[in-house]
Amino acid sequence: MLTPECRIWFKAHGPIRIGYMARMVPFIWTGPDGKAKGTFRDLLDYGFRAFQLSNEIIYVPYTSHDALHEDLKAGRIDAAMPVYDTPSEAEKDGLLQTPDVVSVKMYKVGRKEELITEDTVFAVANSFPAEEKYVKDFYPHNRIIHYATPEEVFDALRRDEADAGIVNPYLISIYLTNDKSLREQELPHREDLTIAVNREQYPLYMVLSRMHTLWGTSHINESLLKHADEEYKPDFMGYVKMNYGKVIGVIFVSTLVLTLLVSMIIFRGKQKREADVLARVDLLTGLPNRRAYEEKVHEIEKNPPPFLVAVVLDINGLKNANDTRGHEAGDELIRAVGQCLRRTCGKDAYKGYTCLGYRVGGDEFVGLMHMESGAYRLLEKDFREETKKWKGKKNSFLAVSLGHASREEFPNASVSELIRLADNRMYDDKAHYYHEMGIECRRR
């Protein structure tokens, strides 16, 4: 919750002016109605509701990141988003920078799959300054050609005006879903997007710094997918080419007009099914996400199973892995938990049970196991054996804290109550682990 001093500041401040890049789909952009939309807008809407702040937010669009930066330093706006400077760069400019809101994978896109050399000419979109920063950070000696929009970048690559474009995966899903003329290749580094605040607005910085943790990574990812899907321009003829056999089959039993209509219905239905699946899957681990978890909890509460064990898992040392070995190392640990869960639940001994694992936050996982306590104890033992055996490319071991609570032990408890009990036990397990390591453990 906010301190009384913080609430006094917001009440006295009045409207909050926030500058944003006007064409950074799906992160933030100006919609057809002239208003800001996108994941950063969703985050602020959620955060101001969660903290019960009634200040009006005035969104100020910018087409130049330099102009956005200068107005923030001059105090003409209170905050700016997204910002991709490092904290040290922000400090030099007298700005405060929140923790990373989104860590974005970056891809090289071009007509050929070839290595990047100093002769590679890059095309970048002015509306996505993070991509240009990526080139300057990792390929500082290469030539850059600027274009106004991502569409112009992709057109330039098709015409061989440039060798490669640096883009994020959401631009690929929006513009290149059925495009076989360009090839994408994942790059080893990410670009972190965050929010910068004028140093004089420290209470605003404190609120913005807590919003993304409060909302959760899974909700941020869902918002990004939703907005990317909204902006996706379906290439119907591309779909027809990829599904030629289906379309020809329909042609034999109908007229051309009916064929196109039916194909369009199939196409849109396929899109909807894929979007529904993506909205419930955590892309990093392949496990169901928080949305799927909340739906399952609601379903279980309405029709409780005879046996249920709630499990809460949390990775030990994830922050240290991120800080010392980079985000790739942290992602490797998160993926490892999903792998160990799937391997354990997939063993023959548990095929007669329903074992459901979810990633509900950054390094937080929940299991809903429809089994007796005795069977669960064997499953937990097997899971811990899997984590002990695991070794990665960037991490030499995986340590997981775990707690569980069963309906046998607490027959009148709801699913939420079982999760809370399991969470408390997980922290006891974590405290024991860190005590053994000689490190202080603090609860969230």
Side-chain angles (χ1 to χ4, degrees):
M1 299 301 294
L2 299 184
T3 64
E5 294 79 11
C6 195
R7 290 200 176 279
I8 290 171
W9 183 91
F10 274 93
K11 189 172 183 180
H13 188 278
I16 307 292
R17 292 178 60 83
I18 297 185
Y20 70 95
M21 292 301 295
R23 300 185 70 177
M24 285 191 68
V25 179
F27 307 102
I28 188 80
W29 78 100
T30 303
D33 59 358
K35 297 180 180 178
K37 65 182 298 188
T39 296
F40 276 79
R41 169 68 189 267
D42 293 348
L43 174 66
L44 264 65
D45 287 347
Y46 168 82
F48 271 64
R49 285 197 307 271
F51 289 114
Q52 298 179 336
L53 298 172
S54 58
N55 300 66
E56 177 189 6
I57 302 178
I58 299 173
Y59 290 95
V60 184
Y62 287 81
T63 56
S64 164
H65 189 268
D66 289 340
L68 173 69
H69 208 84
E70 288 303 315
D71 279 3
L72 179 62
K73 289 195 293 183
R76 288 184 282 269
I77 54 177
D78 299 308
M81 61 188 190
V83 172
Y84 50 84
D85 295 330
T86 63
S88 59
E89 290 172 330
E91 188 174 354
K92 288 178 184 176
D93 291 332
L95 304 175
L96 300 170
Q97 189 167 301
T98 70
D100 298 337
V101 175
V102 181
S103 184
V104 188
K105 291 182 179 180
M106 304 299 283
Y107 288 78
K108 166 187 170 289
V109 175
R111 288 181 60 85
K112 302 174 184 177
E113 292 183 358
E114 53 188 21
L115 295 176
I116 296 174
T117 68
E118 290 193 2
D119 295 326
T120 300
V121 177
F122 287 100
V124 300
N126 294 334
S127 55
F128 278 78
E131 275 78 347
E132 180 177 359
K133 178 179 182 293
Y134 189 96
V135 175
K136 289 181 176 179
D137 283 347
F138 299 105
Y139 309 103
H141 304 297
N142 289 61
R143 180 185 166 209
I144 297 175
I145 304 177
H146 292 86
Y147 296 88
T149 65
E151 297 99 317
E152 293 182 24
V153 168
F154 296 134
D155 287 341
L157 294 173
R158 295 184 188 103
R159 295 192 300 267
D160 283 330
E161 290 180 8
D163 301 309
I166 303 296
V167 299
N168 64 67
Y170 303 102
L171 292 180
I172 293 173
S173 68
I174 293 170
Y175 296 108
L176 300 181
T177 297
N178 290 322
D179 190 331
K180 302 304 179 185
S181 65
L182 298 177
R183 303 172 183 273
E184 65 263 12
Q185 174 188 347
E186 184 177 344
L187 295 171
H189 305 285
R190 292 175 176 240
E191 199 62 55
D192 297 323
L193 303 182
T194 182
I195 304 173
V197 183
N198 188 288
R199 186 175 292 277
E200 296 178 2
Q201 320 296 355
Y202 187 74
L204 177 61
Y205 164 76
M206 292 299 295
V207 168
L208 295 178
S209 294
R210 294 167 61 187
M211 283 183 182
H212 78 284
T213 301
L214 195 63
W215 201 27
T217 304
S218 62
H219 285 106
I220 290 173
N221 289 338
E222 285 179 31
S223 175
L224 288 167
L225 287 169
K226 179 190 74 173
H227 288 299
D229 185 60
E230 286 175 357
E231 290 300 297
Y232 170 51
K233 307 299 188 296
D235 178 7
F236 178 63
M237 292 312 298
Y239 174 80
V240 171
K241 291 176 183 177
M242 294 175 65
N243 297 270
Y244 186 73
K246 292 181 183 178
V247 176
I248 291 298
V250 177
I251 289 175
F252 279 115
V253 297
S254 185
T255 64
L256 178 62
V257 173
L258 182 59
T259 299
L260 294 175
L261 176 61
V262 170
S263 297
M264 180 62 81
I265 292 171
I266 294 171
F267 177 51
R268 294 304 298 169
K270 180 173 180 288
Q271 272 191 293
K272 185 178 185 304
R273 288 192 299 274
E274 291 176 350
D276 286 344
V277 170
L278 281 175
R280 290 165 177 80
V281 173
D282 172 62
L283 299 182
L284 185 58
T285 63
L287 293 174
N289 62 15
R290 175 174 283 277
R291 178 175 176 178
Y293 160 71
E294 290 173 349
E295 291 173 349
K296 178 55 69 173
V297 168
H298 181 68
E299 176 188 321
I300 292 175
E301 294 285 21
K302 289 198 302 182
N303 187 24
F307 297 99
L308 180 68
V309 182
V311 189
V312 175
L313 304 93
D314 194 276
I315 300 172
N316 298 326
L318 179 66
K319 184 178 186 302
N320 181 63
N322 281 325
D323 292 346
T324 60
R325 296 186 293 281
H327 285 292
E328 293 85 356
D331 285 354
E332 183 181 63
L333 291 177
I334 293 170
R335 281 194 297 269
V337 174
Q339 293 162 4
C340 292
L341 277 171
R342 281 193 293 270
R343 287 195 196 113
T344 304
C345 292
K347 292 184 177 181
D348 290 341
Y350 310 111
K351 286 192 175 175
Y353 301 101
T354 300
C355 303
L356 304 172
Y358 302 84
R359 182 185 177 206
V360 297
D363 62 341
E364 302 165 49
F365 296 80
V366 170
L368 297 173
M369 310 302 181
H370 297 218
M371 57 176 55
E372 303 91 334
S373 296
Y376 169 74
R377 283 192 290 271
L378 292 175
L379 183 141
E380 181 179 322
K381 180 182 176 183
D382 284 346
F383 173 75
R384 290 189 183 275
E385 288 297 323
E386 287 290 341
T387 62
K388 287 179 183 176
K389 291 188 297 185
W390 182 88
K391 290 190 184 302
K393 294 181 179 178
K394 295 183 176 291
N395 300 276
S396 59
F397 68 95
L398 170 65
V400 177
S401 291
L402 184 153
H404 77 274
S406 71
R407 188 153 275 161
E408 291 174 76
E409 188 179 5
F410 303 98
N412 297 319
S414 66
V415 179
S416 298
E417 289 168 337
L418 290 177
I419 293 294
R420 179 178 56 79
L421 290 164
D423 191 57
N424 288 335
R425 290 174 173 177
M426 181 275 292
Y427 267 104
D428 291 339
D429 189 40
K430 184 176 285 287
H432 176 74
Y433 171 84
Y434 282 116
H435 177 73
E436 293 290 318
M437 300 290 290
I439 303 171
E440 180 184 1
C441 175
R442 296 180 181 177
R443 289 179 179 262
R444 286 192 283 267

